[in-house]
PDB file of all heavy atoms in Angstrom:
ATOM      1  N   ASN A 380      33.726 117.304 101.816  1.00  0.00           N
ATOM      2  CA  ASN A 380      33.959 116.335 100.709  1.00  0.00           C
ATOM      3  C   ASN A 380      32.602 115.970 100.096  1.00  0.00           C
ATOM      4  O   ASN A 380      31.578 116.567 100.400  1.00  0.00           O
ATOM      5  CB  ASN A 380      34.672 115.099 101.224  1.00  0.00           C
ATOM      6  CG  ASN A 380      33.986 114.442 102.413  1.00  0.00           C
ATOM      7  OD1 ASN A 380      32.742 114.358 102.414  1.00  0.00           O
ATOM      8  ND2 ASN A 380      34.730 114.005 103.399  1.00  0.00           N
ATOM      9  N   ASN A 381      32.601 115.014  99.189  1.00  0.00           N
ATOM     10  CA  ASN A 381      31.395 114.620  98.472  1.00  0.00           C
ATOM     11  C   ASN A 381      30.782 113.327  98.982  1.00  0.00           C
ATOM     12  O   ASN A 381      29.985 112.699  98.282  1.00  0.00           O
ATOM     13  CB  ASN A 381      31.718 114.475  96.955  1.00  0.00           C
ATOM     14  CG  ASN A 381      32.117 115.785  96.325  1.00  0.00           C
ATOM     15  OD1 ASN A 381      31.309 116.712  96.274  1.00  0.00           O
ATOM     16  ND2 ASN A 381      33.367 115.874  95.897  1.00  0.00           N
ATOM     17  N   ASN A 382      31.197 112.916 100.185  1.00  0.00           N
ATOM     18  CA  ASN A 382      30.655 111.638 100.718  1.00  0.00           C
ATOM     19  C   ASN A 382      29.164 111.620 100.887  1.00  0.00           C
ATOM     20  O   ASN A 382      28.515 110.594 100.722  1.00  0.00           O
ATOM     21  CB  ASN A 382      31.367 111.307 102.023  1.00  0.00           C
ATOM     22  CG  ASN A 382      32.809 110.907 101.828  1.00  0.00           C
ATOM     23  OD1 ASN A 382      33.216 110.543 100.703  1.00  0.00           O
ATOM     24  ND2 ASN A 382      33.620 110.963 102.873  1.00  0.00           N
ATOM     25  N   LEU A 383      28.578 112.778 101.235  1.00  0.00           N
ATOM     26  CA  LEU A 383      27.139 112.840 101.406  1.00  0.00           C
ATOM     27  C   LEU A 383      26.421 112.540 100.089  1.00  0.00           C
ATOM     28  O   LEU A 383      25.393 111.863 100.033  1.00  0.00           O
ATOM     29  CB  LEU A 383      26.734 114.223 101.935  1.00  0.00           C
ATOM     30  CG  LEU A 383      25.349 114.287 102.627  1.00  0.00           C
ATOM     31  CD1 LEU A 383      25.330 113.416 103.864  1.00  0.00           C
ATOM     32  CD2 LEU A 383      25.045 115.744 103.017  1.00  0.00           C
ATOM     33  N   THR A 384      26.994 113.055  98.991  1.00  0.00           N
ATOM     34  CA  THR A 384      26.436 112.796  97.660  1.00  0.00           C
ATOM     35  C   THR A 384      26.487 111.314  97.308  1.00  0.00           C
ATOM     36  O   THR A 384      25.561 110.763  96.759  1.00  0.00           O
ATOM     37  CB  THR A 384      27.219 113.588  96.595  1.00  0.00           C
ATOM     38  OG1 THR A 384      27.170 114.991  96.954  1.00  0.00           O
ATOM     39  CG2 THR A 384      26.604 113.421  95.200  1.00  0.00           C
ATOM     40  N   VAL A 385      27.608 110.674  97.653  1.00  0.00           N
ATOM     41  CA  VAL A 385      27.786 109.243  97.382  1.00  0.00           C
ATOM     42  C   VAL A 385      26.679 108.446  98.075  1.00  0.00           C
ATOM     43  O   VAL A 385      25.994 107.618  97.460  1.00  0.00           O
ATOM     44  CB  VAL A 385      29.140 108.718  97.878  1.00  0.00           C
ATOM     45  CG1 VAL A 385      29.266 107.188  97.721  1.00  0.00           C
ATOM     46  CG2 VAL A 385      30.274 109.409  97.104  1.00  0.00           C
ATOM     47  N   VAL A 386      26.403 108.749  99.375  1.00  0.00           N
ATOM     48  CA  VAL A 386      25.374 108.048 100.130  1.00  0.00           C
ATOM     49  C   VAL A 386      23.986 108.343  99.558  1.00  0.00           C
ATOM     50  O   VAL A 386      23.173 107.454  99.315  1.00  0.00           O
ATOM     51  CB  VAL A 386      25.433 108.423 101.602  1.00  0.00           C
ATOM     52  CG1 VAL A 386      24.289 107.751 102.398  1.00  0.00           C
ATOM     53  CG2 VAL A 386      26.785 108.017 102.217  1.00  0.00           C
ATOM     54  N   ALA A 387      23.727 109.664  99.311  1.00  0.00           N
ATOM     55  CA  ALA A 387      22.408 110.090  98.850  1.00  0.00           C
ATOM     56  C   ALA A 387      21.998 109.403  97.533  1.00  0.00           C
ATOM     57  O   ALA A 387      20.904 108.835  97.416  1.00  0.00           O
ATOM     58  CB  ALA A 387      22.375 111.603  98.671  1.00  0.00           C
ATOM     59  N   VAL A 388      22.901 109.435  96.556  1.00  0.00           N
ATOM     60  CA  VAL A 388      22.563 108.859  95.215  1.00  0.00           C
ATOM     61  C   VAL A 388      22.486 107.359  95.297  1.00  0.00           C
ATOM     62  O   VAL A 388      21.599 106.752  94.688  1.00  0.00           O
ATOM     63  CB  VAL A 388      23.581 109.341  94.157  1.00  0.00           C
ATOM     64  CG1 VAL A 388      23.284 108.692  92.834  1.00  0.00           C
ATOM     65  CG2 VAL A 388      23.559 110.872  94.034  1.00  0.00           C
ATOM     66  N   SER A 389      23.399 106.740  96.059  1.00  0.00           N
ATOM     67  CA  SER A 389      23.403 105.254  96.137  1.00  0.00           C
ATOM     68  C   SER A 389      22.122 104.754  96.808  1.00  0.00           C
ATOM     69  O   SER A 389      21.536 103.750  96.355  1.00  0.00           O
ATOM     70  CB  SER A 389      24.607 104.769  96.916  1.00  0.00           C
ATOM     71  OG  SER A 389      25.811 105.270  96.339  1.00  0.00           O
ATOM     72  N   VAL A 390      21.705 105.389  97.908  1.00  0.00           N
ATOM     73  CA  VAL A 390      20.472 104.970  98.572  1.00  0.00           C
ATOM     74  C   VAL A 390      19.258 105.212  97.650  1.00  0.00           C
ATOM     75  O   VAL A 390      18.393 104.368  97.522  1.00  0.00           O
ATOM     76  CB  VAL A 390      20.269 105.743  99.889  1.00  0.00           C
ATOM     77  CG1 VAL A 390      18.894 105.495 100.469  1.00  0.00           C
ATOM     78  CG2 VAL A 390      21.367 105.301 100.890  1.00  0.00           C
ATOM     79  N   ALA A 391      19.279 106.329  96.911  1.00  0.00           N
ATOM     80  CA  ALA A 391      18.154 106.637  96.008  1.00  0.00           C
ATOM     81  C   ALA A 391      18.069 105.564  94.901  1.00  0.00           C
ATOM     82  O   ALA A 391      16.974 105.044  94.642  1.00  0.00           O
ATOM     83  CB  ALA A 391      18.358 108.019  95.355  1.00  0.00           C
ATOM     84  N   VAL A 392      19.202 105.211  94.292  1.00  0.00           N
ATOM     85  CA  VAL A 392      19.200 104.212  93.224  1.00  0.00           C
ATOM     86  C   VAL A 392      18.804 102.830  93.777  1.00  0.00           C
ATOM     87  O   VAL A 392      18.116 102.065  93.153  1.00  0.00           O
ATOM     88  CB  VAL A 392      20.585 104.173  92.524  1.00  0.00           C
ATOM     89  CG1 VAL A 392      20.639 103.000  91.540  1.00  0.00           C
ATOM     90  CG2 VAL A 392      20.844 105.466  91.787  1.00  0.00           C
ATOM     91  N   GLY A 393      19.276 102.526  94.998  1.00  0.00           N
ATOM     92  CA  GLY A 393      18.977 101.264  95.614  1.00  0.00           C
ATOM     93  C   GLY A 393      17.509 101.089  96.010  1.00  0.00           C
ATOM     94  O   GLY A 393      16.941 100.009  95.860  1.00  0.00           O
ATOM     95  N   VAL A 394      16.891 102.180  96.447  1.00  0.00           N
ATOM     96  CA  VAL A 394      15.461 102.132  96.888  1.00  0.00           C
ATOM     97  C   VAL A 394      14.516 102.230  95.715  1.00  0.00           C
ATOM     98  O   VAL A 394      13.356 101.799  95.801  1.00  0.00           O
ATOM     99  CB  VAL A 394      15.219 103.221  97.955  1.00  0.00           C
ATOM    100  CG1 VAL A 394      13.744 103.327  98.309  1.00  0.00           C
ATOM    101  CG2 VAL A 394      16.041 102.920  99.195  1.00  0.00           C
ATOM    102  N   LEU A 395      14.972 102.790  94.586  1.00  0.00           N
ATOM    103  CA  LEU A 395      14.092 103.006  93.429  1.00  0.00           C
ATOM    104  C   LEU A 395      13.319 101.775  92.979  1.00  0.00           C
ATOM    105  O   LEU A 395      12.084 101.808  92.896  1.00  0.00           O
ATOM    106  CB  LEU A 395      14.927 103.567  92.277  1.00  0.00           C
ATOM    107  CG  LEU A 395      14.238 104.435  91.223  1.00  0.00           C
ATOM    108  CD1 LEU A 395      13.515 105.612  91.867  1.00  0.00           C
ATOM    109  CD2 LEU A 395      15.244 104.923  90.194  1.00  0.00           C
ATOM    110  N   PRO A 396      14.005 100.611  92.721  1.00  0.00           N
ATOM    111  CA  PRO A 396      13.219  99.439  92.316  1.00  0.00           C
ATOM    112  C   PRO A 396      12.332  98.853  93.395  1.00  0.00           C
ATOM    113  O   PRO A 396      11.429  98.070  93.105  1.00  0.00           O
ATOM    114  CB  PRO A 396      14.295  98.423  91.872  1.00  0.00           C
ATOM    115  CG  PRO A 396      15.545  98.874  92.599  1.00  0.00           C
ATOM    116  CD  PRO A 396      15.441 100.353  92.734  1.00  0.00           C
ATOM    117  N   VAL A 397      12.649  99.181  94.662  1.00  0.00           N
ATOM    118  CA  VAL A 397      11.810  98.745  95.768  1.00  0.00           C
ATOM    119  C   VAL A 397      10.509  99.526  95.803  1.00  0.00           C
ATOM    120  O   VAL A 397       9.426  98.977  95.954  1.00  0.00           O
ATOM    121  CB  VAL A 397      12.545  98.912  97.129  1.00  0.00           C
ATOM    122  CG1 VAL A 397      11.670  98.466  98.281  1.00  0.00           C
ATOM    123  CG2 VAL A 397      13.860  98.104  97.112  1.00  0.00           C
ATOM    124  N   GLY A 398      10.614 100.834  95.644  1.00  0.00           N
ATOM    125  CA  GLY A 398       9.428 101.707  95.652  1.00  0.00           C
ATOM    126  C   GLY A 398       8.637 101.631  94.388  1.00  0.00           C
ATOM    127  O   GLY A 398       7.408 101.736  94.368  1.00  0.00           O
ATOM    128  N   VAL A 399       9.299 101.467  93.227  1.00  0.00           N
ATOM    129  CA  VAL A 399       8.643 101.410  91.907  1.00  0.00           C
ATOM    130  C   VAL A 399       9.124 100.121  91.201  1.00  0.00           C
ATOM    131  O   VAL A 399      10.006 100.154  90.363  1.00  0.00           O
ATOM    132  CB  VAL A 399       9.004 102.648  91.039  1.00  0.00           C
ATOM    133  CG1 VAL A 399       8.087 102.716  89.821  1.00  0.00           C
ATOM    134  CG2 VAL A 399       8.884 103.931  91.875  1.00  0.00           C
ATOM    135  N   PRO A 400       8.520  98.975  91.537  1.00  0.00           N
ATOM    136  CA  PRO A 400       9.048  97.691  91.060  1.00  0.00           C
ATOM    137  C   PRO A 400       9.077  97.564  89.518  1.00  0.00           C
ATOM    138  O   PRO A 400       9.887  96.794  88.995  1.00  0.00           O
ATOM    139  CB  PRO A 400       8.090  96.665  91.666  1.00  0.00           C
ATOM    140  CG  PRO A 400       7.485  97.357  92.831  1.00  0.00           C
ATOM    141  CD  PRO A 400       7.400  98.798  92.469  1.00  0.00           C
ATOM    142  N   THR A 401       8.222  98.312  88.820  1.00  0.00           N
ATOM    143  CA  THR A 401       8.160  98.140  87.361  1.00  0.00           C
ATOM    144  C   THR A 401       8.993  99.169  86.607  1.00  0.00           C
ATOM    145  O   THR A 401       8.880  99.276  85.374  1.00  0.00           O
ATOM    146  CB  THR A 401       6.686  98.245  86.861  1.00  0.00           C
ATOM    147  OG1 THR A 401       6.139  99.480  87.345  1.00  0.00           O
ATOM    148  CG2 THR A 401       5.855  97.110  87.432  1.00  0.00           C
ATOM    149  N   ILE A 402       9.818  99.920  87.290  1.00  0.00           N
ATOM    150  CA  ILE A 402      10.530 101.051  86.665  1.00  0.00           C
ATOM    151  C   ILE A 402      11.436 100.598  85.513  1.00  0.00           C
ATOM    152  O   ILE A 402      11.566 101.298  84.530  1.00  0.00           O
ATOM    153  CB  ILE A 402      11.349 101.852  87.685  1.00  0.00           C
ATOM    154  CG1 ILE A 402      11.877 103.128  87.060  1.00  0.00           C
ATOM    155  CG2 ILE A 402      12.475 101.029  88.312  1.00  0.00           C
ATOM    156  CD1 ILE A 402      12.379 104.151  88.025  1.00  0.00           C
ATOM    157  N   TYR A 403      12.023  99.411  85.612  1.00  0.00           N
ATOM    158  CA  TYR A 403      12.912  98.930  84.535  1.00  0.00           C
ATOM    159  C   TYR A 403      12.234  97.879  83.643  1.00  0.00           C
ATOM    160  O   TYR A 403      12.899  97.101  82.976  1.00  0.00           O
ATOM    161  CB  TYR A 403      14.197  98.335  85.124  1.00  0.00           C
ATOM    162  CG  TYR A 403      14.936  99.325  86.018  1.00  0.00           C
ATOM    163  CD1 TYR A 403      15.205  99.065  87.350  1.00  0.00           C
ATOM    164  CD2 TYR A 403      15.427 100.521  85.478  1.00  0.00           C
ATOM    165  CE1 TYR A 403      15.886  99.984  88.156  1.00  0.00           C
ATOM    166  CE2 TYR A 403      16.115 101.445  86.251  1.00  0.00           C
ATOM    167  CZ  TYR A 403      16.346 101.168  87.600  1.00  0.00           C
ATOM    168  OH  TYR A 403      17.034 102.052  88.374  1.00  0.00           O
ATOM    169  N   GLY A 404      10.903  97.849  83.667  1.00  0.00           N
ATOM    170  CA  GLY A 404      10.149  96.834  82.936  1.00  0.00           C
ATOM    171  C   GLY A 404      10.409  96.792  81.442  1.00  0.00           C
ATOM    172  O   GLY A 404      10.265  95.730  80.803  1.00  0.00           O
ATOM    173  N   LYS A 405      10.775  97.912  80.822  1.00  0.00           N
ATOM    174  CA  LYS A 405      10.986  97.962  79.363  1.00  0.00           C
ATOM    175  C   LYS A 405      12.480  97.803  78.995  1.00  0.00           C
ATOM    176  O   LYS A 405      12.855  97.950  77.843  1.00  0.00           O
ATOM    177  CB  LYS A 405      10.427  99.256  78.816  1.00  0.00           C
ATOM    178  CG  LYS A 405       8.894  99.314  78.892  1.00  0.00           C
ATOM    179  CD  LYS A 405       8.352 100.534  78.180  1.00  0.00           C
ATOM    180  CE  LYS A 405       6.851 100.493  77.980  1.00  0.00           C
ATOM    181  NZ  LYS A 405       6.082  99.896  79.050  1.00  0.00           N
ATOM    182  N   PHE A 406      13.327  97.493  79.999  1.00  0.00           N
ATOM    183  CA  PHE A 406      14.750  97.322  79.726  1.00  0.00           C
ATOM    184  C   PHE A 406      15.084  95.879  79.426  1.00  0.00           C
ATOM    185  O   PHE A 406      14.285  94.988  79.706  1.00  0.00           O
ATOM    186  CB  PHE A 406      15.579  97.803  80.943  1.00  0.00           C
ATOM    187  CG  PHE A 406      15.697  99.299  81.067  1.00  0.00           C
ATOM    188  CD1 PHE A 406      14.621 100.089  81.460  1.00  0.00           C
ATOM    189  CD2 PHE A 406      16.884  99.938  80.747  1.00  0.00           C
ATOM    190  CE1 PHE A 406      14.707 101.443  81.553  1.00  0.00           C
ATOM    191  CE2 PHE A 406      16.992 101.314  80.841  1.00  0.00           C
ATOM    192  CZ  PHE A 406      15.900 102.085  81.265  1.00  0.00           C
ATOM    193  N   PRO A 407      16.281  95.591  78.833  1.00  0.00           N
ATOM    194  CA  PRO A 407      16.644  94.191  78.544  1.00  0.00           C
ATOM    195  C   PRO A 407      16.690  93.360  79.844  1.00  0.00           C
ATOM    196  O   PRO A 407      16.875  93.895  80.947  1.00  0.00           O
ATOM    197  CB  PRO A 407      18.061  94.298  77.941  1.00  0.00           C
ATOM    198  CG  PRO A 407      18.188  95.717  77.497  1.00  0.00           C
ATOM    199  CD  PRO A 407      17.306  96.542  78.369  1.00  0.00           C
ATOM    200  N   ASP A 408      16.531  92.048  79.695  1.00  0.00           N
ATOM    201  CA  ASP A 408      16.481  91.121  80.835  1.00  0.00           C
ATOM    202  C   ASP A 408      17.703  91.233  81.710  1.00  0.00           C
ATOM    203  O   ASP A 408      17.584  91.231  82.974  1.00  0.00           O
ATOM    204  CB  ASP A 408      16.304  89.659  80.359  1.00  0.00           C
ATOM    205  CG  ASP A 408      14.911  89.434  79.803  1.00  0.00           C
ATOM    206  OD1 ASP A 408      14.008  90.226  80.095  1.00  0.00           O
ATOM    207  OD2 ASP A 408      14.736  88.483  79.036  1.00  0.00           O
ATOM    208  N   TRP A 409      18.938  91.299  81.114  1.00  0.00           N
ATOM    209  CA  TRP A 409      20.163  91.339  81.913  1.00  0.00           C
ATOM    210  C   TRP A 409      20.185  92.600  82.771  1.00  0.00           C
ATOM    211  O   TRP A 409      20.608  92.556  83.934  1.00  0.00           O
ATOM    212  CB  TRP A 409      21.385  91.236  81.016  1.00  0.00           C
ATOM    213  CG  TRP A 409      21.614  92.432  80.139  1.00  0.00           C
ATOM    214  CD1 TRP A 409      21.176  92.574  78.859  1.00  0.00           C
ATOM    215  CD2 TRP A 409      22.285  93.660  80.474  1.00  0.00           C
ATOM    216  NE1 TRP A 409      21.542  93.812  78.348  1.00  0.00           N
ATOM    217  CE2 TRP A 409      22.219  94.515  79.310  1.00  0.00           C
ATOM    218  CE3 TRP A 409      22.921  94.109  81.623  1.00  0.00           C
ATOM    219  CZ2 TRP A 409      22.789  95.786  79.331  1.00  0.00           C
ATOM    220  CZ3 TRP A 409      23.463  95.402  81.619  1.00  0.00           C
ATOM    221  CH2 TRP A 409      23.412  96.193  80.468  1.00  0.00           C
ATOM    222  N   PHE A 410      19.695  93.723  82.210  1.00  0.00           N
ATOM    223  CA  PHE A 410      19.680  94.980  82.951  1.00  0.00           C
ATOM    224  C   PHE A 410      18.706  94.879  84.117  1.00  0.00           C
ATOM    225  O   PHE A 410      19.031  95.308  85.246  1.00  0.00           O
ATOM    226  CB  PHE A 410      19.281  96.129  82.004  1.00  0.00           C
ATOM    227  CG  PHE A 410      19.384  97.498  82.640  1.00  0.00           C
ATOM    228  CD1 PHE A 410      20.577  98.205  82.562  1.00  0.00           C
ATOM    229  CD2 PHE A 410      18.297  98.041  83.308  1.00  0.00           C
ATOM    230  CE1 PHE A 410      20.676  99.481  83.145  1.00  0.00           C
ATOM    231  CE2 PHE A 410      18.398  99.295  83.877  1.00  0.00           C
ATOM    232  CZ  PHE A 410      19.583 100.012  83.796  1.00  0.00           C
ATOM    233  N   GLN A 411      17.554  94.288  83.882  1.00  0.00           N
ATOM    234  CA  GLN A 411      16.555  94.113  84.939  1.00  0.00           C
ATOM    235  C   GLN A 411      17.082  93.254  86.072  1.00  0.00           C
ATOM    236  O   GLN A 411      16.875  93.520  87.237  1.00  0.00           O
ATOM    237  CB  GLN A 411      15.265  93.510  84.377  1.00  0.00           C
ATOM    238  CG  GLN A 411      14.481  94.428  83.478  1.00  0.00           C
ATOM    239  CD  GLN A 411      13.127  93.828  83.081  1.00  0.00           C
ATOM    240  OE1 GLN A 411      12.394  93.366  83.940  1.00  0.00           O
ATOM    241  NE2 GLN A 411      12.834  93.857  81.799  1.00  0.00           N
ATOM    242  N   THR A 412      17.802  92.161  85.687  1.00  0.00           N
ATOM    243  CA  THR A 412      18.381  91.267  86.719  1.00  0.00           C
ATOM    244  C   THR A 412      19.302  92.016  87.645  1.00  0.00           C
ATOM    245  O   THR A 412      19.285  91.804  88.858  1.00  0.00           O
ATOM    246  CB  THR A 412      19.149  90.118  86.016  1.00  0.00           C
ATOM    247  OG1 THR A 412      18.272  89.428  85.157  1.00  0.00           O
ATOM    248  CG2 THR A 412      19.705  89.141  87.041  1.00  0.00           C
ATOM    249  N   VAL A 413      20.112  92.932  87.097  1.00  0.00           N
ATOM    250  CA  VAL A 413      21.070  93.690  87.912  1.00  0.00           C
ATOM    251  C   VAL A 413      20.368  94.759  88.732  1.00  0.00           C
ATOM    252  O   VAL A 413      20.523  94.899  89.925  1.00  0.00           O
ATOM    253  CB  VAL A 413      22.169  94.291  87.060  1.00  0.00           C
ATOM    254  CG1 VAL A 413      23.126  95.154  87.884  1.00  0.00           C
ATOM    255  CG2 VAL A 413      22.979  93.187  86.338  1.00  0.00           C
TER     256      VAL A 413
END
Side-chain angles (χ1 to χ4, degrees):
N380 55 39
N381 294 296
N382 288 341
L383 202 61
T384 304
V385 174
V386 176
V388 176
S389 303
V390 171
V392 172
V394 172
L395 205 56
V397 178
V399 191
T401 55
I402 189 166
Y403 302 121
K405 292 187 168 36
F406 282 74
D408 289 340
W409 67 267
F410 186 90
Q411 290 187 49
T412 301
V413 176

